[in-house]
Amino acid sequence: MTAEMTLPPTNTRTIDWAALREDFPILHQRVHGRPLLYLDNAATTQKPRAVLDALCGYYERDNANVHRGVHELSNRATAAYEGARERAARFLNARRSEEIIFTRGTTEGINLVANTWGAKHLQSGDVILLTEMEHHSNIVPWQLLAGRTGARLAFLPITGDEGLLDLSRLDEWLTTDVKLLAFTHISNTLGTINPAAQLCSQARQRGIVTLVDAAQSAGHRPLDVQAIGCDFLALSGHKMCGPTGSGVLYGRIERLADMPPWHGGGDMIESVDYHHSTWKQPPHKFEAGTPNIAGAIALAAAMDYLDAVGRDKIAQHDEELGAYAFERLTALKGLRLLGPRLGRAGVVSFMLGDIHAHDVVTFADQAGIALRGGHHCNQPLMKKLGLESTSRASFYLYNTTDEIDRLTETLREIQKYFTTASAPSA
Amino acid sequence: MFDNLNDLYQQVILDHSKAPRNFGELPGADHFAEGRNPLCGDQVSVAVKMQGDVIEDIRFKGSGCAIAKASASVMTTALKGKTLNEARTLFEKFHELVLTGQAAPCAQLGKLSVFGGVHRYPARVKCAILAWHAALAAMAGDQKKVSTE
């Protein structure tokens, strides 16, 4: 087991997960006359009151631009924004806060690496190694880079429906041409938890730079970039109780120091004349223009919230819900569930017999249940599995096993509807 | 629990989605197009055999939700024997129906009127018109890909 996958409880207190729902105002509503059951957390999570208060509080008290003014509000905004950077560094156990770049989310973080580190260091013949389970956001930026540099993409294979990486032949894939290994920590479709530290360790032994897509893991389990040993790690604030448009790219300081800037503009420069400019040091070199100040501050509040609950506890809860959903849903006749049986994250993608995912999701919605139906930004994976789309339920800390029972019963009702209503007409 | 959905998933729609008419290859077809819904990855391809400007035969292939499949199936039964202009006019009326729930007087939609419930589910309008876009693109050209976006 890898460092970030072992989850020793930091204490023995038990958590009343249902009571945590009180912290999330949005959950207390009815949809189509039934209590909302929100199971689309892999797309985006809901926000606790503490995060909403941080967002509002910033605009009500402290709003000003950062790194510019000498007036009181600007000082407060700057202190809060840079404080959020330090908070994010602690959250990820980065060596120093200069390794934290604020982004709009995981997609922007990956694009930043592709356009800076990638543009400088990759050339024709080099290989960018991904996996077959990547989200479009960890494929398309590399395709664009490959088109510009002549590098090519390769994909670590997965083992069918079970959706595990075939690591027995990892050494064979890590050839001397491979310059970058970029992979998702947790698959947003399969629920697979990849052994990030093992992958990074083997790549690093061969001098291969590593990037971890932590969009699905950052809000769900402890993350330690030093234990994982990655060069880059990207996450999205909105998938971990934070606001949309907030995110973090972690970069090992030696890497950041050796990267050209990406976006040019205010705040990233040291000096500018008409024909030439010089840059600030990282991380400011990579944050051109006025950043999402409120978003970063509220993201720090989300990190406080998650740590107050306990990320090791959240990870246990997540895996318990994933395992429970696996047991309950696979008991339904004709249901095909993707991903591993054991050690899975709290996300389940499935086909309900031959009922199309959009029909399943429309019916679930009528029952007050928010599911996702479609390809989940995983079209290549879907094609490999011979699928066009699946229905997906993804859980978070405010979900309970009772809710999975309700989901199961609803899916049974949907099956009944399509079975009994299918007598041929004229 | 799902009584509200009975106007969307009418019996005719469920029937056509389970047993689609004019489904499969069309030997001798001379017009083709593929429709894609990027939202869900669904795709439908339509093949048409024209006799002058009359649709002599039409078939479809592909995958989709009950609404998309039934719409493609009912469409093929409605278009067979129509001229290109009649097909365009019919689509305009059908499009108005799935967007608003209202059909123009004398619209003569026939079985197409079972899609009158779609307008209350905005996310599903694209499902209902995917095959129509593909069919009209096929008749307008030879080899085309169309998207609902």
Side-chain angles (χ1 to χ4, degrees):
Chain A
M1 280 287 117
T2 54
E4 80 282 8
M5 285 182 68
T6 50
L7 307 162
T10 51
N11 56 51
T12 54
R13 84 198 142 92
T14 55
I15 293 172
D16 183 352
W17 297 101
L20 281 183
R21 304 172 63 80
E22 296 306 314
D23 297 339
F24 293 81
I26 200 171
L27 296 178
H28 305 282
Q29 62 175 300
R30 298 177 87 81
V31 168
H32 302 306
R34 294 168 201 275
L36 168 64
L37 171 43
Y38 186 79
L39 297 180
D40 197 14
N41 293 288
T44 195
T45 65
Q46 302 302 348
K47 325 302 175 196
R49 174 59 72 194
V51 169
L52 303 176
D53 286 348
L55 211 47
C56 271
Y58 166 75
Y59 282 120
E60 286 176 354
R61 289 187 313 268
D62 305 326
N63 178 49
N65 216 325
V66 291
H67 308 141
R68 286 167 176 76
V70 290
H71 60 77
E72 169 64 15
L73 293 192
S74 178
N75 287 339
R76 275 192 231 154
T78 303
Y81 182 69
E82 292 305 322
R85 197 187 305 279
E86 284 164 24
R87 182 65 186 89
R90 286 201 307 281
F91 189 79
L92 296 174
N93 196 29
R95 290 165 203 82
R96 42 204 281 199
S97 63
E98 289 83 355
E99 296 182 317
I100 301 297
I101 300 165
F102 283 119
T103 64
R104 283 190 296 133
T106 305
T107 298
E108 189 175 65
I110 295 172
N111 276 279
L112 193 157
V113 176
N115 282 281
T116 55
W117 179 86
K120 178 170 179 182
H121 293 284
L122 289 190
Q123 49 196 336
S124 182
D126 289 344
V127 170
I128 300 163
L129 183 60
L130 310 171
T131 82
E132 286 183 339
M133 67 175 86
E134 296 310 310
H135 188 280
H136 295 168
S137 62
N138 199 27
I139 297 176
V140 182
W142 306 118
Q143 288 176 342
L144 293 171
L145 179 66
R148 287 198 302 273
T149 59
R152 63 187 175 85
L153 307 186
F155 296 87
L156 279 172
I158 60 162
T159 57
D161 270 17
E162 209 195 354
L164 295 170
L165 285 180
D166 181 4
L167 294 177
S168 61
R169 295 172 54 222
L170 179 59
D171 275 337
E172 294 169 39
W173 284 89
L174 298 174
T175 63
T176 51
D177 291 337
V178 176
K179 295 294 184 291
L180 174 78
L181 170 64
F183 62 93
T184 188
H185 194 185
I186 292 179
S187 162
N188 69 312
T189 294
L190 301 166
T192 308
I193 305 168
N194 285 320
Q198 182 192 342
L199 285 162
C200 290
S201 163
Q202 283 187 243
R204 201 169 168 70
Q205 284 165 23
R206 288 158 184 78
I208 297 167
V209 170
T210 52
L211 180 145
V212 179
D213 171 354
Q216 296 297 335
S217 61
H220 291 257
R221 55 204 304 110
L223 272 187
D224 180 334
V225 290
Q226 295 188 57
I228 293 173
C230 53
D231 291 286
F232 299 103
L233 181 142
L235 62 81
S236 297
H238 74 98
K239 293 190 201 284
M240 48 180 284
C241 292
T244 54
S246 69
V248 165
L249 173 70
Y250 157 82
R252 193 189 287 268
I253 195 70
E254 306 92 283
R255 299 283 173 220
L256 296 184
D258 189 28
M259 281 159 44
W262 183 24
H263 294 150
D267 215 23
M268 51 80 74
I269 49 84
E270 200 174 60
S271 72
V272 176
D273 68 27
Y274 283 121
H275 295 285
H276 183 259
S277 301
T278 57
W279 326 126
K280 278 186 183 162
Q281 293 301 307
H284 303 291
K285 177 182 181 177
F286 303 106
E287 293 180 3
T290 298
N292 182 359
I293 306 165
I297 292 167
L299 176 55
M303 291 171 174
D304 287 343
Y305 182 83
L306 294 173
D307 277 337
V309 177
R311 277 185 280 164
D312 50 348
K313 297 279 185 193
I314 295 170
Q316 279 177 4
H317 183 62
D318 202 55
E319 289 188 23
E320 279 165 20
L321 292 178
Y324 188 75
F326 188 99
E327 291 307 319
R328 289 303 316 266
L329 296 190
T330 52
L332 290 171
K333 196 162 173 262
L335 186 139
R336 173 182 168 197
L337 200 149
L338 304 178
R341 183 182 188 90
L342 297 170
R344 62 178 305 124
V347 47
V348 287
S349 293
F350 57 89
M351 279 69 59
L352 190 61
D354 60 356
I355 309 170
H356 191 276
H358 269 188
D359 298 318
V360 172
V361 171
T362 296
F363 277 73
D365 178 53
Q366 280 297 314
I369 304 176
L371 298 179
R372 172 92 180 261
H375 51 63
H376 318 298
C377 297
N378 267 144
Q379 284 184 356
L381 173 65
M382 290 288 170
K383 276 183 206 148
K384 176 179 168 93
L385 297 176
L387 301 166
E388 261 105 24
S389 59
T390 68
S391 308
R392 182 182 73 186
S394 51
F395 313 116
Y396 206 26
L397 46 88
Y398 35 68
N399 293 125
T400 63
T401 52
D402 286 351
E403 291 181 325
I404 292 172
D405 290 340
R406 185 177 151 200
L407 169 67
T408 310
E409 285 318 304
T410 303
L411 294 177
R412 203 189 303 279
E413 291 293 320
I414 295 170
Q415 281 185 315
K416 207 184 289 178
Y417 186 100
F418 277 86
T419 315
T420 56
S422 62
S425 67
Chain B
M1 186 190 289
F2 303 122
D3 289 350
N4 286 343
L5 284 170
N6 287 340
D7 67 329
L8 179 61
Y9 289 84
Q10 296 202 25
Q11 188 64 46
V12 173
I13 291 179
L14 289 168
D15 170 34
H16 274 259
S17 74
K18 290 238 166 210
R21 322 295 197 263
N22 303 307
F23 187 83
E25 299 287 343
L26 177 57
D30 40 30
H31 291 69
F32 306 88
E34 187 179 301
R36 270 189 186 282
N37 185 346
L39 178 69
C40 53
D42 285 349
Q43 63 91 23
V44 57
S45 52
V46 174
V48 186
K49 193 173 174 185
M50 300 291 289
Q51 180 80 296
D53 73 337
V54 175
I55 301 165
E56 187 184 316
D57 204 355
I58 176 167
R59 290 194 182 190
F60 79 102
K61 288 188 301 183
S63 62
C65 62
I67 307 302
K69 260 159 79 181
S71 175
S73 173
V74 176
M75 174 193 78
T76 58
T77 62
L79 287 185
K80 221 179 269 193
K82 296 267 193 310
T83 67
L84 180 52
N85 273 341
E86 287 169 342
R88 286 191 177 128
T89 306
L90 196 56
F91 174 62
E92 280 168 24
K93 290 169 177 169
F94 177 74
H95 198 189
E96 189 183 345
L97 175 76
V98 297
L99 283 177
T100 66
Q102 306 290 317
C106 326
Q108 295 184 316
L109 283 167
K111 206 170 253 186
L112 292 170
S113 58
V114 298
F115 294 92
V118 172
H119 75 102
R120 294 207 275 120
Y121 304 85
R124 307 304 295 278
V125 170
K126 286 175 181 174
C127 311
I129 59 175
L130 179 62
W132 284 87
H133 278 303
L136 293 174
M139 289 182 268
D142 291 323
Q143 295 278 356
K144 278 198 179 167
K145 284 194 176 179
V146 293
S147 162
T148 56
E149 291 299 302

